[in-house]
Amino acid sequence: MADCPHTIGVEFGTRIIEVAGQKIKLQIWDTAGQERFRAVTRSYYRGAAGALMVYDITRRSTYNHLSSWLTDARNLTNPNTVIFLIGNKADLDAQRDVTYEEAKQFAEENGLMFVEASAKTGENVEEAFLETAKKIYQNIQDGSLDLNAAESGVQHKPTQPGRTNLNSDSQPNRDNCSC
Amino acid sequence: MEDVLSEVCSSEDLKVFEKKYNDELVKGLVSSTTQFEYACFLVRSRYPADIQRGVVLLEELYKRPEEIGKRDYVFYLAIGNARLKEYQTALNYLKGLLRVEPGNRQVQELETGAAIAGGAILGVGALIGLGMALAKK
Ligand SMILES: Nc1nc2c(ncn2[C@@H]2O[C@H](COP(=O)(O)OP(=O)(O)OP(=O)(O)O)[C@@H](O)[C@H]2O)c(=O)[nH]1
Ligand SMILES: [Mg+2]
């Protein structure tokens, strides 16, 4: 893998996926993980329909910091924001420093979805975004996410039937690093 | 809210960091962190006067010796200038960054965005010029 420079502030991306036969445009904000950007990246949480919180399974310190990222994510988003915990670098199993079971338990205790993935091999990357979108869609269907609330992070586009916009804030990093 | 050149920050956020900056200014020493944070929000303001002020603060930070985050200042200088429609200045900053980090996708994308936006403006200018030339005949 080539050298991957630190994200500066936030990087924007979009992706169109399909959930239950509906086209959904995901607006993805990949926020910088470096401490110096914390104040800037915080301002992107508001209005996120989902958040992907990524740690590195080979570096325990990234796992230990999760609760502080989670506090931010909870405090700054609405109660229905879907939070997905992702253990990245699953390809480096030999260097693993955090067990699957431990992280799974942390996720359950905090009501987070959880998967281990690898941005390098692509394992579970697409799935994580798709599962997040499905969960958000489900919240809309069962009425727990109010589309009229300004901060829902979801926009229905009546001019284009079947097109829904979801904002998904991913931090500390987007797990589909193309580097 | 779709990209770095069009999204705007909330005025509440801007006020929070303006206050933090002013509080330190009164005490006589503004930390790099505080100045950078304030500048990042200024650059994302909907008002050109704020963006201009953000650019000035970033230029000042960049000149400080022994700063570690120069690439971050340069990138935000590019964003600020592009948002002020100073596309050539923005592109020059981005070229400088790409010389150090040739493969940086985030920088490449902003370069493309600024080049297209700058090109679009040039295109309009050319059309107006053509219109004038025709009108004079
Ligand atoms: N082996 C392996 N390396 C990875 C994987 N994902 C990322 N990396 C490497 O880990 C390093 C950091 O990845 P980044 O994507 O830049 O991390 P980040 O969290 O976005 O960092 P910031 O942009 O500062 O927030 C880079 O050198 C990547 O090449 C992975 O799944 N497997
Ligand atoms: Mg990154």
Side-chain angles (χ1 to χ4, degrees):
Chain A
M1 252 170 160
D3 201 31
C4 200
H6 283 294
T7 304
I8 306 170
V10 64
E11 190 177 346
F12 295 75
T14 55
R15 192 70 177 268
I16 296 181
I17 57 162
E18 209 168 293
V19 173
Q22 295 248 26
K23 278 219 186 326
I24 294 186
K25 183 171 168 187
L26 288 179
Q27 211 175 94
I28 302 160
W29 305 327
D30 173 15
T31 55
Q34 283 179 298
E35 186 59 36
R36 57 196 277 98
F37 289 110
R38 198 81 179 245
V40 176
T41 54
R42 268 192 185 124
S43 68
Y44 292 97
Y45 286 46
R46 221 174 298 124
L52 280 74
M53 207 165 69
V54 186
Y55 70 96
D56 179 344
I57 67 161
T58 71
R59 277 165 59 219
R60 190 157 194 96
S61 60
T62 66
Y63 178 80
N64 293 341
H65 279 125
L66 286 175
S67 50
S68 106
W69 288 103
L70 185 59
T71 304
D72 269 6
R74 288 253 191 265
N75 289 344
L76 298 165
T77 61
N78 75 68
N80 289 306
T81 298
V82 176
I83 304 180
F84 209 129
L85 179 64
I86 294 169
N88 188 37
K89 304 201 186 176
D91 57 290
L92 299 178
D93 196 50
Q95 285 150 257
R96 178 188 286 278
D97 204 12
V98 180
T99 65
Y100 177 88
E101 290 72 24
E102 181 180 9
K104 177 78 188 155
Q105 190 181 340
F106 175 84
E108 269 164 17
E109 282 166 5
N110 289 283
L112 316 173
M113 297 165 88
F114 173 64
V115 76
E116 283 190 350
S118 167
K120 185 175 181 179
T121 66
E123 179 197 349
N124 281 338
V125 173
E126 191 82 31
E127 287 83 350
F129 282 94
L130 207 59
E131 286 305 311
T132 307
K134 272 192 199 152
K135 183 75 183 131
I136 296 166
Y137 188 74
Q138 206 177 309
N139 287 348
I140 299 168
Q141 297 304 82
D142 69 20
S144 55
L145 185 65
D146 178 9
L147 288 188
N148 297 320
E151 72 283 6
S152 73
V154 182
Q155 255 180 308
H156 188 64
K157 291 271 179 70
T159 46
Q160 294 161 283
R163 160 81 65 89
T164 302
N165 264 316
L166 302 177
N167 288 335
S168 165
D169 177 21
S170 82
Q171 49 79 18
N173 67 2
R174 182 168 64 182
D175 65 342
N176 62 346
C177 173
S178 68
C179 300
Chain B
M1 255 299 189
E2 294 242 13
D3 65 63
V4 276
L5 296 184
S6 59
E7 59 111 12
V8 292
C9 66
S10 77
S11 52
E12 290 79 35
D13 277 342
L14 180 54
K15 272 187 206 127
V16 169
F17 291 93
E18 179 172 43
K19 184 174 178 326
K20 193 176 168 206
Y21 176 87
N22 285 334
D23 288 351
E24 289 187 18
L25 198 62
V26 168
K27 288 190 199 121
L29 185 72
V30 179
S31 71
S32 299
T33 307
T34 299
Q35 183 156 329
F36 179 54
E37 287 171 351
Y38 181 35
C40 287
F41 283 94
L42 282 169
V43 156
R44 293 167 57 207
S45 167
R46 64 181 77 244
Y47 304 107
D50 286 342
I51 303 175
Q52 185 61 59
R53 184 163 160 68
V55 165
V56 171
L57 292 180
L58 288 165
E59 282 168 349
E60 198 275 322
L61 275 174
Y62 184 82
K63 282 181 203 139
R64 291 189 189 177
E66 288 163 52
E67 282 291 313
I68 45 156
K70 294 218 180 198
R71 71 192 280 271
D72 304 330
Y73 304 151
V74 174
F75 191 71
Y76 272 90
L77 275 166
I79 295 175
N81 277 285
R83 291 174 68 119
L84 289 169
K85 303 195 167 36
E86 298 288 344
Y87 296 110
Q88 202 48 58
T89 313
L91 289 170
N92 288 342
Y93 278 123
L94 295 169
K95 276 202 192 77
L97 269 184
L98 286 172
R99 230 170 281 139
V100 189
E101 301 175 21
N104 190 319
R105 184 191 55 206
Q106 200 184 1
V107 179
Q108 289 165 353
E109 277 174 14
L110 182 56
E111 189 187 37
T112 308
I116 290 172
I121 298 289
L122 276 179
V124 172
L127 273 181
I128 292 169
L130 188 63
M132 298 267 280
L134 286 173
K136 270 187 202 153
K137 283 203 171 169

